[in-house]
Amino acid sequence: MPQDDEARRFEDIVADLRDEMPVAAAPHHPARRRRMLIAGIICCLLAVVLITLGGTKGAVLAVIPWLTGMFLVVAGRPRA
């Protein structure tokens, strides 16, 4: 029976952590998804500006904000 006690204690700990976590910090919360989507769009626009104004060096540096933006856009989309 020690495993049952440990499982019950673990579930209690997880429930307490869920109660302490703010609702807006939950990964599935619509406000968080919206912020991620907006941040991703801004990163992608920054990459376009770097490519436009920075020439070759700007195009090379634009890879980082572009990839970050794409990750945030995909993560910010609602799941089906």
Side-chain angles (χ1 to χ4, degrees), residues 15-41:
D16 289 341
L17 290 174
R18 285 188 181 138
D19 291 341
E20 291 175 4
M21 182 172 58
V23 175
H28 59 277
H29 195 268
R32 181 178 169 106
R33 288 188 180 275
R34 189 171 26 255
R35 285 192 306 263
M36 289 175 67
L37 185 64
I38 291 170
I41 291 170

Side-chain angles (χ1 to χ4, degrees), residues 31-53:
R32 181 178 169 106
R33 288 188 180 275
R34 189 171 26 255
R35 285 192 306 263
M36 289 175 67
L37 185 64
I38 291 170
I41 291 170
I42 290 171
C43 285
C44 290
L45 290 175
L46 175 66
V48 170
V49 169
L50 281 171
I51 291 169
T52 305
L53 300 177

